[in-house]
């Protein structure tokens, strides 16, 4: 059975909407972690907002590592009640129950990553379908931003490990408690 890993990036004060400051491509350990997560995946789960943001960004990207090419080629499954298929960017709209679809995907794929922490992540956690959560905590304080890490109810987690990188980013890996 395949695994589902939720991965998200945030500032120290829990903000998601300042992404232009987050990834330091000059931090080799941060790049190594990002590569391991994405190159180890064989499918991606996205909510509507992440899908719309990423599909505008990633198809135009290139790099020497082959990261962008690999990410663009991965099959993507999008949970949305407002989008209509067919979707572009190697994506398939999830029709029907998200939890049932993800159970089926876990039978077909070895390692599934999901980016962001919104309704999709909450649904996956509630259904017991999340194996790990990777939180990248970046050394920025935004203060008055609107978008912050939120969950519809308390979610207990167990720390698996934590790494601090040269750039000041902390990568924490959790499993549901």
């Amino acid at each position: 059975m395949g695994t589902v890993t939720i991965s998200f990036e945030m500032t120290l004060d829990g903000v998601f909407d300042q992404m232009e400051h987050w990834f330091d491509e000059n931090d080799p350990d941060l790049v190594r972690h990002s590569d391991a997560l994405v190159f180890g995946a064989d499918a991606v789960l996205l909510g509507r907002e992440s899908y719309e943001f990423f599909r505008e960004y990633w198809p135009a990207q290139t790099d020497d590592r082959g990261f962008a090419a690999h990410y663009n080629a991965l099959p993507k499954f999008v949970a949305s009640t407002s989008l209509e298929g067919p979707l572009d960017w190697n994506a398939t709209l999830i029709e029907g129950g998200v939890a049932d679809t993800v159970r089926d995907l876990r039978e077909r794929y070895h390692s599934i990553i999901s980016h962001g922490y919104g309704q999709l992540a909450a649904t996956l956690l509630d259904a017991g379908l999340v194996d790990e959560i990777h939180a990248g905590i970046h050394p920025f304080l935004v203060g008055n931003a609107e978008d912050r890490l939120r969950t519809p109810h308390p979610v207990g987690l167990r720390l698996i490990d934590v790494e601090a990188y040269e750039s000041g980013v902390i990568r924490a890996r959790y499993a549901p408690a």
Side-chain angles (χ1 to χ4, degrees):
M1 171 153 320
T3 61
V4 173
T5 300
I6 294 172
S7 176
F8 61 86
E9 308 295 322
M10 64 186 215
T11 61
L12 188 59
D13 56 347
V15 174
F16 283 82
D17 65 355
Q18 303 293 317
M19 290 189 292
E20 66 272 8
H21 300 291
W22 291 359
F23 192 80
D24 184 350
E25 59 193 30
N26 297 314
D27 184 333
D29 291 328
L30 185 60
V31 170
R32 176 189 48 77
H33 174 82
S34 181
D35 283 357
L37 185 64
V38 171
F39 284 117
D42 54 357
V44 178
L45 284 169
L46 298 168
R48 180 193 54 81
E49 289 181 29
S50 295
Y51 167 73
E52 289 179 338
F53 177 81
F54 286 170
R55 80 156 190 234
E56 294 300 318
Y57 177 80
W58 278 110
Q61 303 306 305
T62 60
D63 61 86
D64 295 338
R65 300 182 335 267
F67 184 96
H70 179 76
Y71 194 74
N72 284 322
L74 286 171
K76 295 156 196 79
F77 299 90
V78 181
S80 172
T81 57
S82 59
L83 292 176
E84 294 182 10
L87 303 178
D88 57 2
W89 190 47
N90 202 25
T92 301
L93 183 63
I94 293 174
E95 298 188 27
V98 171
D100 288 337
T101 299
V102 173
R103 282 185 195 93
D104 291 342
L105 292 174
R106 286 172 59 129
E107 296 295 327
R108 294 174 37 204
Y109 296 97
H110 174 72
S111 178
I112 304 167
I113 55 175
S114 181
H115 297 289
Y117 193 93
Q119 183 59 48
L120 174 59
T123 298
L124 296 174
L125 278 166
D126 285 345
L129 294 170
V130 176
D131 297 285
E132 288 190 9
I133 296 172
H134 294 203
I137 304 162
H138 295 255
F140 296 98
L141 295 171
V142 176
N144 63 354
E146 295 290 322
D147 291 336
R148 297 190 183 277
L149 178 61
R150 290 186 173 87
T151 186
H153 54 79
V155 176
L157 302 174
R158 177 180 50 84
L159 182 65
I160 296 171
D161 77 10
V162 64
E163 280 185 84
Y165 300 126
E166 184 180 302
S167 60
V169 173
I170 298 169
R171 174 71 55 197
R173 287 180 48 225
Y174 294 93

